[in-house]
Amino acid sequence: MRAIWARIVDLGAIAATRPADVGGQQLPFLVGTLATAYLMAANLSACAYAGLTSGAAHLIEAFGDDFLKREMMARMYAGEWTGTMALTEPQAGSSLADVMTRATPREDGTYLIRGSKIFISGGDHDLTDNVVNMTLARIDGAPPGIKGLSLFAVPKRRYENGTLVGNDVHVAGAIHKIGWRGLPSLALSFGDEGDCRGWLVGKPHQGLRYMFQMMNDARIMVGMNGVATASVAYHEALAYARTRKQGRPIASRDPNQPQVPIIEHADVRRMLLRQKAIVEGGLCLVAFAACQADVAAHATDAEARRRAAHLLDVLTPVAKSFPAEWGFEANVLSVQVHGGYGYSSEQLPEAWLRDQKLNSIHEGTTGIHGLDLLGRRIVAEGGAPLRVLLEEADAVIGRADRAGVDAAWCLAVREAMARLADLTAHLGGIGLSGDVEAMMLHSTDFLTVVAIVVVAWLWLWQAALAKEALARGTAEEDFYQGKLCAAQYWIWTELPRVTHLAELCRSGEDSYGRMRDGWF
Amino acid sequence: MRAIWARIVDLGAIAATRPADVGGQQLPFLVGTLATAYLMAANLSACAYAGLTSGAAHLIEAFGDDFLKREMMARMYAGEWTGTMALTEPQAGSSLADVMTRATPREDGTYLIRGSKIFISGGDHDLTDNVVNMTLARIDGAPPGIKGLSLFAVPKRRYENGTLVGNDVHVAGAIHKIGWRGLPSLALSFGDEGDCRGWLVGKPHQGLRYMFQMMNDARIMVGMNGVATASVAYHEALAYARTRKQGRPIASRDPNQPQVPIIEHADVRRMLLRQKAIVEGGLCLVAFAACQADVAAHATDAEARRRAAHLLDVLTPVAKSFPAEWGFEANVLSVQVHGGYGYSSEQLPEAWLRDQKLNSIHEGTTGIHGLDLLGRRIVAEGGAPLRVLLEEADAVIGRADRAGVDAAWCLAVREAMARLADLTAHLGGIGLSGDVEAMMLHSTDFLTVVAIVVVAWLWLWQAALAKEALARGTAEEDFYQGKLCAAQYWIWTELPRVTHLAELCRSGEDSYGRMRDGWF
């Protein structure tokens, strides 16, 4: 990891998307995200040190004072120190309202920090001299709940008289994760000796708001983790299926004939095409979301910024969750294509399978993203985010129509979009009537509906581009024919699930709603 | 494992279902299977030694001569030696037609064996003095393909002058499996020194037929592996969800109120109820199949035996695959319910997840069971097996109706059964017209359809029993209410998938059918 870290720093990966005046390369977020995908496919853990450091430094860049920028942000962007996100506590996993770490003001303007954090990725290591933990804590007297949380920079070591000395931050335990083995996940204890200093970032009681401003980016990066992990496994399965000979065609099983590569079996191609549809659909989704982040932040036109911000709002939970959930399924298929060899740790697919599982858990579980999408994002501002999404999809359907994509595919996507619009209006109406629990009962199914429909729209887009390329003549005909097959697969195999799932959400099917603890 | 093995032998688990005259307890297969589920939930690997030994001894019991029964079978049933199934070779994983291990007759009636086997579970160890490998090999001059395979007992050690000496069987390598870590999976090399003796079991060239007669039982046991592995993980998730406090009800998020156990969140109950529906549906399926095996073998009435044999034929690939595929999903949910803690090897759910993955690969992959079900079993004898299945389901639907189960549930199952019958007739017709590839294109989807429908029928049965119990009064009302919720869940959440999947099979959707190697 030491060798990789030096290369990542040299590459400028940490500040790649940041402005030049903080040492960045000013790459669009889209470009940074896509470029990082290659590194993620090679080593998720190594990328995570860079990503966490970038995120921590970015928080200070956005909200910190000049002292913190000079002393901490600059060193993180330069790769001299690394950073972490220290939110989770043992008694408050997903429930940040219950964070208990305390911060007591000191006379010099810093705070005494005391508390326990858990699952802190990269929370200690010796790749660099120091680790800055961006820590949520509660200033003495702060209100309960999320409104009382402040953000602190709590380094592992602090300068005293020009020398780095310990800052009373201790490793209380290591989580033995099943994947991401190159990145320690630690329990950290702050202030066991009463001497842990934290520097307030921004204003008191604004900690969660600050964190959330960074979280959209982080969630898109988690989405790319998922895509990259599914992608590398897909390509490994493809290479295996092309070379592994086993069995004979179903219609001619003469044992005197040689065996054929397993890619010639239809069911193996099913498993490969499903992986391709998930991986390339997910890549398109995450890239599209990253692009919206760029436009929302930098477009000169206010209307373009507004539309991009709406799209980003709806797409973020999907871009985070789709690669985690469907990507895991793709990783399972990669193991399955490898047969008995896939069940062995001498082959890589099982390692990617283990890596992938984290993505449905960290940075908000899939269930929490379902609640966030349905309960907040898609119904915000009277449904404006959904309207923008529908308009964008409509434009793509029109383009696909004109490009000569099968009219039945276009119609299927159009009807699915209409179904999504109806369903959202229906559930939003239930929410407005005051029955939030009924509205949210199938929030995870709702997330599934949105994910499948959005990815279908993006596959239709890819099909339109393929048709356009084939019509004008291309040297990459194979590439575009593959795109058309994958689009066809998604639209006829996955998209129809939406009919039943939307009905489930709408009907309020109440089996687990009414299920009681004692009945299990 | 040494301590466990002694206990398993004491328990009589190896010959539990065998006749008294070979030292067995004559338990019905149903009882043996259900009893073993408890052991499997505790330690799959330990059970596998017993199951493999029982299967190997059973082959000799059914087809071997008195010498083999006395010298090998008896020692295996007594737990003095263990047994294995040595089918797979590196160049012939699922394709047994390509098995190349040779057998050359010797003058004393034994054979010289030479060849390589791989993935031999329990192929060597020091729990017992000897291991008998039930080995598929080709006698010199035998025809190619599966018709030239003979079955041999090839022990690790053989008696010479009353002493056990090496039989030229060597461990060529160990597979580092991702689960089932207590059971070595080995590459074995036979006859490196030209001195490996094998004893022919039964007649020449009948090896695969003999093996297949054992395989139905083995597949049902694999199904129970899957059920047990999903079950223990489900109960662990349930216990965790009842004690882990996190967050507050969606409608009242006052941070001054205490956090609630996560089972109070609807989405957590969704994950738990899905696990319950899979686990208890799978348990019912495997138990029902095991019961048919008993009736098919032992009923005094020929018609009862015939019907049970038909049911067993159709149910075996489902009983093997459903727990592997849906059970894996249940294991994933158990990890997810545990959140970040689930991603740690300090908790057991991830270990069960790894164990479960094997079940979709060994004893025939899921894809192969799809081919077997659609291509052979369900269309055999002019569709007689399916007709029996439909009649059985019909009887259950009638009973559910009379018991007062919601008429809509009964109708949903009835319609799904009709859909399955139509689809099978349609696909069978395509096959009869000669286009086997078109018939089989969606064979895995077809297996999915059958699995979902069969489990829905079995859930309706459980709902009927629950209604009957509640009507007559019961001290276990909670238990039966839970059954009703799970039945409702399956019928409204999983069963509707069948509409789309059946349409997919029927339409012959050809995305992966026409996809070419170069297009990926």
Side-chain angles (χ1 to χ4, degrees):
Chain A
M1 195 57 78
R2 241 180 272 278
I4 302 175
W5 179 247
R7 299 282 298 275
I8 285 179
V9 172
D10 280 352
L11 204 57
I14 302 168
T17 63
R18 307 311 315 144
D21 61 15
V22 297
Q25 301 189 51
Q26 308 207 143
L27 292 182
F29 185 55
L30 169 60
V31 176
T33 305
L34 285 170
T36 307
Y38 291 86
L39 306 180
M40 289 169 169
N43 193 319
L44 280 176
S45 295
C47 294
Y49 288 106
L52 289 163
T53 301
S54 178
H58 194 170
L59 275 169
I60 293 177
E61 181 194 330
F63 307 111
D65 59 23
D66 286 344
F67 171 80
L68 287 177
K69 286 181 184 173
R70 189 179 64 240
E71 293 292 323
M72 298 193 191
M73 179 197 78
R75 289 185 171 115
M76 287 196 277
Y77 277 147
E80 293 164 22
W81 294 0
T82 66
T84 77
M85 300 293 159
L87 288 70
T88 304
E89 300 184 1
Q91 81 294 345
S94 298
S95 180
L96 293 174
D98 294 282
V99 159
M100 285 167 50
T101 296
R102 317 290 317 183
T104 303
R106 285 166 37 93
E107 291 195 351
D108 66 357
T110 66
Y111 289 75
L112 272 180
I113 307 293
R114 181 183 291 272
S116 296
K117 296 287 178 179
I118 196 167
F119 297 122
I120 307 308
S121 292
D124 198 13
H125 58 76
D126 55 7
L127 287 178
T128 57
D129 289 338
N130 206 359
V131 180
V132 180
N133 302 292
M134 304 306 290
T135 304
L136 286 183
R138 212 174 283 283
I139 298 172
D140 294 344
I146 55 174
K147 291 175 185 168
L149 295 175
S150 302
L151 179 63
F152 293 89
V154 186
K156 169 182 166 184
R157 297 194 174 102
R158 65 180 190 246
Y159 276 108
E160 275 190 8
N161 305 321
T163 308
L164 274 179
V165 300
N167 187 36
D168 194 13
V169 174
H170 301 279
V171 174
I175 316 295
H176 295 93
K177 282 181 299 185
I178 63 173
W180 299 62
R181 290 276 176 84
L183 177 73
S185 178
L186 302 173
L188 293 183
S189 188
F190 296 130
D192 283 355
E193 296 152 17
D195 188 33
C196 175
R197 313 275 169 88
W199 281 260
L200 181 66
V201 179
K203 294 179 183 162
H205 314 331
Q206 299 295 315
L208 205 66
R209 188 173 70 81
Y210 296 160
M211 278 288 184
F212 269 101
Q213 278 185 252
M214 298 298 109
M215 261 184 219
N216 271 343
D217 282 10
R219 283 163 178 181
I220 287 168
M221 292 309 273
V222 169
M224 194 53 100
N225 285 332
V227 169
T229 305
S231 177
V232 67
Y234 158 57
H235 285 99
E236 187 89 355
L238 185 55
Y240 183 80
R242 282 172 166 156
T243 51
R244 170 69 172 167
K245 290 184 174 135
Q246 190 84 158
R248 293 171 183 80
I250 204 164
S252 61
R253 288 197 162 147
D254 177 0
N256 292 307
Q257 293 300 311
Q259 299 191 82
V260 300
I262 61 172
I263 198 170
E264 295 189 23
H265 300 309
D267 194 62
V268 172
R269 287 202 305 281
R270 175 187 65 80
M271 293 190 276
L272 293 170
L273 189 57
R274 184 160 180 82
Q275 288 176 71
K276 179 183 171 76
I278 290 169
V279 166
E280 297 178 10
L283 186 64
C284 190
L285 166 66
V286 174
F288 187 67
C291 181
Q292 302 314 312
D294 284 322
V295 175
H298 302 298
T300 50
D301 176 47
E303 174 63 8
R305 289 200 303 275
R306 186 190 69 86
R307 289 179 67 88
H310 281 327
L311 278 175
L312 184 63
D313 246 20
V314 178
L315 291 177
T316 298
V318 183
K320 192 275 176 185
S321 304
F322 176 86
E325 295 289 345
W326 279 258
F328 184 76
E329 203 196 317
N331 282 101
V332 172
L333 290 172
S334 174
V335 169
Q336 187 76 14
V337 167
H338 282 78
Y341 297 94
Y343 197 68
S344 147
S345 55
E346 285 126 23
Q347 304 286 330
L348 283 164
E350 69 84 22
W352 291 314
L353 182 72
R354 288 185 284 106
D355 284 344
Q356 183 71 279
K357 192 76 237 84
L358 185 60
N359 291 322
S360 66
I361 298 170
H362 68 167
E363 208 56 43
T365 65
T366 301
I368 283 174
H369 284 287
L371 294 169
D372 185 35
L373 175 65
L374 177 58
R376 274 191 289 261
R377 291 169 180 258
I378 210 165
V379 293
E381 299 183 40
L386 179 63
R387 274 196 302 279
V388 175
L389 187 142
L390 294 169
E391 286 163 14
E392 292 289 318
D394 209 52
V396 163
I397 295 166
R399 180 172 180 173
D401 247 334
R402 288 189 299 278
V405 173
D406 191 324
W409 301 11
C410 298
L411 183 63
V413 175
R414 191 184 299 280
E415 286 179 348
M417 281 287 167
R419 204 179 291 275
L420 171 59
D422 282 353
L423 176 63
T424 308
H426 177 79
L427 294 176
I430 294 177
L432 286 174
S433 80
D435 194 348
V436 180
E437 288 198 12
M439 172 192 180
M440 303 303 286
L441 184 58
H442 286 273
S443 51
T444 301
D445 292 322
F446 181 82
L447 173 63
T448 302
V449 167
V450 177
I452 292 174
V453 173
V454 164
V455 172
W457 146 39
L458 297 175
W459 266 117
L460 192 68
W461 196 351
Q462 295 186 64
L465 295 171
K467 279 286 190 185
E468 289 168 5
L470 291 167
R472 72 173 173 259
T474 168
E476 298 180 294
E477 187 176 333
D478 280 358
F479 172 80
Y480 288 113
Q481 293 290 1
K483 287 289 184 190
L484 288 171
C485 272
Q488 176 187 334
Y489 173 85
W490 195 261
I491 289 169
W492 294 133
T493 302
E494 194 73 3
L495 186 59
R497 289 180 58 201
V498 160
T499 308
H500 154 53
L501 288 168
E503 177 53 32
L504 206 53
C505 296
R506 176 183 280 273
S507 71
E509 193 283 319
D510 70 346
S511 55
Y512 58 81
R514 69 191 184 87
M515 185 75 182
R516 296 187 200 159
D517 181 338
W519 294 357
F520 277 104
Chain B
M1 194 58 78
R2 241 181 274 278
I4 302 175
W5 180 248
R7 299 282 298 273
I8 285 179
V9 172
D10 280 353
L11 203 57
I14 302 169
T17 63
R18 308 311 316 143
D21 60 16
V22 298
Q25 302 188 49
Q26 308 207 141
L27 292 183
F29 184 55
L30 169 61
V31 175
T33 305
L34 285 170
T36 308
Y38 290 86
L39 306 180
M40 289 170 170
N43 192 320
L44 280 176
S45 295
C47 295
Y49 288 106
L52 289 163
T53 301
S54 178
H58 194 170
L59 274 170
I60 294 177
E61 180 194 330
F63 307 110
D65 59 23
D66 286 345
F67 172 82
L68 288 177
K69 285 182 184 171
R70 189 179 63 240
E71 293 293 322
M72 298 193 191
M73 179 197 77
R75 291 188 171 111
M76 287 196 279
Y77 277 147
E80 294 164 22
W81 295 358
T82 65
T84 77
M85 301 293 160
L87 289 72
T88 304
E89 299 183 2
Q91 82 294 344
S94 298
S95 180
L96 293 174
D98 295 281
V99 159
M100 284 167 52
T101 295
R102 317 290 318 181
T104 303
R106 284 167 37 95
E107 291 194 350
D108 66 355
T110 65
Y111 290 75
L112 272 179
I113 307 291
R114 181 183 290 274
S116 295
K117 296 286 179 180
I118 196 167
F119 299 121
I120 307 309
S121 293
D124 197 15
H125 58 78
D126 56 5
L127 286 178
T128 57
D129 290 339
N130 207 359
V131 179
V132 180
N133 302 291
M134 303 307 290
T135 304
L136 285 183
R138 212 175 282 282
I139 298 173
D140 294 345
I146 55 174
K147 291 175 185 169
L149 295 175
S150 302
L151 179 63
F152 294 89
V154 186
K156 169 182 165 183
R157 296 195 175 102
R158 65 182 191 245
Y159 275 107
E160 275 189 10
N161 305 321
T163 307
L164 273 180
V165 300
N167 187 36
D168 193 12
V169 174
H170 302 278
V171 174
I175 316 295
H176 294 93
K177 283 181 299 185
I178 62 174
W180 300 60
R181 290 275 177 85
L183 177 73
S185 178
L186 301 174
L188 292 183
S189 188
F190 296 131
D192 284 355
E193 297 151 17
D195 188 35
C196 175
R197 313 277 169 86
W199 281 259
L200 181 66
V201 178
K203 295 179 182 160
H205 314 329
Q206 299 295 315
L208 204 65
R209 187 173 71 80
Y210 296 160
M211 276 288 184
F212 269 101
Q213 277 185 252
M214 298 297 110
M215 262 184 220
N216 272 344
D217 283 9
R219 284 164 177 180
I220 287 168
M221 292 308 274
V222 169
M224 194 54 99
N225 285 330
V227 169
T229 305
S231 178
V232 67
Y234 158 57
H235 285 99
E236 187 88 355
L238 185 55
Y240 183 80
R242 282 171 167 157
T243 52
R244 169 69 172 168
K245 290 186 173 136
Q246 190 84 157
R248 294 171 183 80
I250 205 164
S252 61
R253 289 199 163 143
D254 176 0
N256 293 308
Q257 293 300 311
Q259 299 191 81
V260 300
I262 60 173
I263 199 171
E264 294 189 23
H265 300 310
D267 194 62
V268 172
R269 286 202 306 281
R270 176 185 66 81
M271 294 190 274
L272 293 170
L273 189 57
R274 184 159 181 81
Q275 288 176 73
K276 179 183 170 78
I278 290 169
V279 166
E280 297 177 10
L283 186 65
C284 190
L285 166 66
V286 174
F288 187 67
C291 181
Q292 301 315 311
D294 285 322
V295 176
H298 303 297
T300 50
D301 177 47
E303 174 64 8
R305 288 201 302 276
R306 187 190 69 83
R307 291 179 66 87
H310 281 328
L311 278 174
L312 184 62
D313 246 19
V314 179
L315 291 177
T316 298
V318 183
K320 191 275 177 186
S321 304
F322 176 85
E325 296 288 346
W326 279 258
F328 184 76
E329 204 195 315
N331 282 103
V332 172
L333 290 172
S334 173
V335 169
Q336 188 75 15
V337 167
H338 282 77
Y341 297 93
Y343 197 70
S344 148
S345 57
E346 285 127 25
Q347 304 286 327
L348 283 164
E350 69 84 22
W352 292 314
L353 181 72
R354 288 185 285 106
D355 285 344
Q356 184 70 279
K357 192 77 235 84
L358 185 61
N359 291 322
S360 66
I361 297 170
H362 68 167
E363 207 59 42
T365 64
T366 301
I368 283 174
H369 283 286
L371 293 169
D372 186 36
L373 175 65
L374 178 57
R376 274 191 288 262
R377 291 169 180 261
I378 209 164
V379 293
E381 299 184 37
L386 179 63
R387 274 197 300 280
V388 175
L389 187 142
L390 293 169
E391 286 163 15
E392 292 290 318
D394 210 52
V396 164
I397 296 167
R399 180 172 180 173
D401 248 336
R402 288 189 299 278
V405 173
D406 191 325
W409 301 10
C410 298
L411 183 63
V413 175
R414 192 184 297 280
E415 287 180 347
M417 281 287 166
R419 203 179 291 274
L420 170 60
D422 283 353
L423 176 63
T424 308
H426 178 78
L427 294 176
I430 294 177
L432 287 174
S433 79
D435 194 348
V436 180
E437 287 199 14
M439 172 191 179
M440 303 303 286
L441 184 59
H442 285 273
S443 51
T444 302
D445 292 322
F446 182 82
L447 174 62
T448 302
V449 167
V450 178
I452 293 173
V453 173
V454 165
V455 173
W457 146 39
L458 297 174
W459 266 117
L460 191 69
W461 196 351
Q462 295 186 65
L465 295 171
K467 279 287 190 184
E468 289 167 6
L470 291 168
R472 72 174 173 257
T474 168
E476 298 179 293
E477 186 177 334
D478 281 356
F479 172 80
Y480 289 112
Q481 293 291 1
K483 288 289 184 191
L484 288 171
C485 272
Q488 174 187 336
Y489 174 86
W490 195 261
I491 289 169
W492 294 134
T493 301
E494 195 72 3
L495 186 60
R497 288 180 58 200
V498 160
T499 308
H500 154 53
L501 288 167
E503 177 54 30
L504 205 56
C505 297
R506 175 183 279 271
S507 70
E509 192 284 318
D510 69 348
S511 56
Y512 56 81
R514 68 190 185 87
M515 184 76 182
R516 296 188 199 156
D517 181 337
W519 294 358
F520 277 103

